[in-house]
Amino acid sequence: MSQQSPRPWQRLRRGLEHDYTILKVREDIYADPRTTEEHPRVFIDTPEWCNIIAVTAEDQLVLIRQYRFGMQGVTLEIPGGLVEPGEDPAVAAARELEEETGYVAGRVVPLGSVHPNPALQANRCHSFLALDCVKHHEGRQDHGEDITVELFPRAEVPRLILEGKITHSLVVVAFFLERLRAEAPK
């Protein structure tokens, strides 16, 4: 017995858009394809994102700590940020690494991308691995950023995640993508 895939929902009305600089929010009205009932759906329109697992020649991870307003606390993460319009995500990841940490990658390897929250957003988060990273300067943080850089042995990643030291889901995904690539048959 073949099961039919869910049908697309038809947008009936586009809502008023609220621009908050790094994202736009609106509520559209859609018709349920089964019943034709109207349902409001919220959208968050934001640029593509990137993050980068940076590793030195000594197998040290370049991690950052920064205050996150959503959770009202400091997180331990990998560098990352917004992909500028027309910018290649790999270039954006290398740029964010250097801006936030002062480290420059010898080589950047794509790990994959995910939809951070397809229920509300259409953007993707692109993850990369930066190898042979070398410190060139102290970093050039954006206005409004307050970041500290810390080095950790690469082997500590599972412990940092399992002990709740790294809790940012997109950072955990990046490390998972790295593990999958390492374990995939060649």
Side-chain angles (χ1 to χ4, degrees), residues 99-165:
E99 286 175 3
E100 293 181 356
T101 69
Y103 279 83
V104 174
R107 184 166 56 111
V108 175
V109 179
L111 296 174
S113 64
V114 296
H115 287 101
N117 187 353
L120 302 174
Q121 300 163 221
N123 73 314
R124 297 182 76 86
C125 181
H126 306 272
S127 295
F128 297 89
L129 174 64
L131 299 170
D132 299 321
C133 293
V134 175
K135 181 102 171 171
H136 280 226
H137 53 81
E138 292 306 308
R140 297 180 193 97
Q141 296 172 25
D142 289 339
H143 179 73
E145 284 184 323
D146 184 21
I147 295 170
T148 59
V149 178
E150 297 182 28
L151 298 180
F152 285 83
R154 194 174 187 184
E156 286 191 30
V157 169
R159 181 188 64 77
L160 292 169
I161 293 171
L162 293 173
E163 290 181 0
K165 305 284 194 262

